[in-house]
Amino acid sequence: MNGSRRRSTASPFGAGRIVFWRGGSLWIGHAARETENHAHHAIQITLALAGGMLRFRQPGQAWASYGAAIVAAHASHAFDARDTLVALVFVEPESLEGRALRERYPDGIASLDGGLLAEQADWLAASYARHDGDEALASCAQAVTTGLSSMHHSSPKPLDKRIARAIDLLRERLADAVQMSEIADAVHLSSERFRHLFLQETGIRFRPYVLWLRLEVALARYEAGSSLTEASHAGGFADSAHFSRTFKRMFGVTAIGVQRA
């Protein structure tokens, strides 16, 4: 993220890089403080790089420490990775790998065997230290997802083709006001059947999913150097305040507090 536009009095959450690809993203760097409680649509694979430790807390519970952990989609949690290099690999639950992970880790926060992902974690840390390009970082992060999902003993059921097509249409039309009835009609389903099937296949209702996609677009633009206002409009938010509120609710920190290293 472009530090020249970030002269805010708000205390920064941390510094690092964010890289996106279809079906996921990587957030890697150092955090300066813990997040507030939050929940998001993505499955979150979290690795403490270079031998560090992480802490997670679920509502009503005490902090617990991990070397590596996975957070289920929509699981409320707070996160603390101060004093360590950390990688957060976000996986869309409706992707093929996400569906495998969702079956194996359906709820809450689970500890992962860091030894099984040690090679991929080392690749990530080395790529980040070399200041590799986004494509190289994404490749390292996707190796984490592939490695973990391949431990699933059975192949997950593919996403329903009608819902897969609906998601493609949504991504194409995010610049406009998106109506569920139009998307349902485009994939030859009634609105009621589409509503039920969409929730069943993705684990999220239609309108919150559209908001999640808009947040992804806005954040990618913000990471690329756009102002908060420009990024908000690119994602289809009414204004930067709406984008900022949504970001904090889903990630537990302010967007302006995430800085590029």
Side-chain angles (χ1 to χ4, degrees), residues 163-182:
I163 299 304
R165 175 57 181 156
I167 290 173
D168 288 340
L169 290 172
L170 277 175
R171 290 182 175 274
E172 293 170 6
R173 300 180 185 184
L174 277 179
D176 305 315
V178 181
Q179 300 297 324
M180 187 184 73
S181 58
E182 295 176 1

Side-chain angles (χ1 to χ4, degrees), residues 85-227:
L85 177 63
V86 63
L88 285 71
V89 183
F90 291 101
V91 187
E92 302 290 345
E94 60 275 5
S95 68
L96 188 61
E97 291 174 339
R99 290 171 77 80
L101 294 175
R102 192 167 69 173
E103 287 183 14
R104 188 172 184 182
Y105 306 100
D107 302 298
I109 300 170
S111 180
L112 297 175
D113 184 346
L116 295 177
L117 297 171
E119 185 175 21
Q120 293 94 329
D122 288 345
W123 291 345
L124 262 177
S127 184
Y128 181 71
R130 291 193 302 264
H131 305 284
D132 285 348
D134 287 356
E135 186 174 338
L137 268 178
S139 179
C140 291
Q142 288 171 296
V144 172
T145 305
T146 300
L148 190 58
S149 62
S150 66
M151 298 173 193
H152 196 274
H153 297 302
S154 60
S155 298
K157 180 183 175 183
L159 186 67
D160 185 283
K161 292 181 179 180
R162 294 163 294 184
I163 299 304
R165 175 57 181 156
I167 290 173
D168 288 340
L169 290 172
L170 277 175
R171 290 182 175 274
E172 293 170 6
R173 300 180 185 184
L174 277 179
D176 305 315
V178 181
Q179 300 297 324
M180 187 184 73
S181 58
E182 295 176 1
I183 301 297
D185 185 62
V187 297
H188 310 295
L189 290 171
S190 68
S191 292
E192 189 58 34
R193 174 58 180 151
F194 178 81
R195 179 185 292 108
H196 174 79
L197 187 61
F198 191 90
L199 177 59
Q200 175 183 300
E201 289 292 302
T202 66
I204 188 173
R205 297 188 312 277
F206 180 79
R207 295 313 308 180
Y209 186 77
V210 173
L211 187 64
W212 171 255
L213 291 185
R214 292 194 186 284
L215 182 68
E216 182 182 275
V217 170
L219 182 56
R221 287 289 294 271
Y222 194 48
E223 166 69 9
S226 295
S227 70

Side-chain angles (χ1 to χ4, degrees), residues 41-118:
H41 178 56
I43 298 165
Q44 177 182 322
I45 303 167
T46 314
L47 306 174
L49 306 179
M53 292 296 291
L54 318 159
R55 296 197 308 155
F56 282 94
R57 182 178 63 193
Q58 298 182 77
Q61 299 184 19
W63 286 99
S65 297
Y66 303 83
I70 185 166
V71 183
H74 309 289
S76 182
H77 64 284
F79 168 65
D80 183 6
R82 284 174 288 187
D83 304 319
T84 189
L85 177 63
V86 63
L88 285 71
V89 183
F90 291 101
V91 187
E92 302 290 345
E94 60 275 5
S95 68
L96 188 61
E97 291 174 339
R99 290 171 77 80
L101 294 175
R102 192 167 69 173
E103 287 183 14
R104 188 172 184 182
Y105 306 100
D107 302 298
I109 300 170
S111 180
L112 297 175
D113 184 346
L116 295 177
L117 297 171

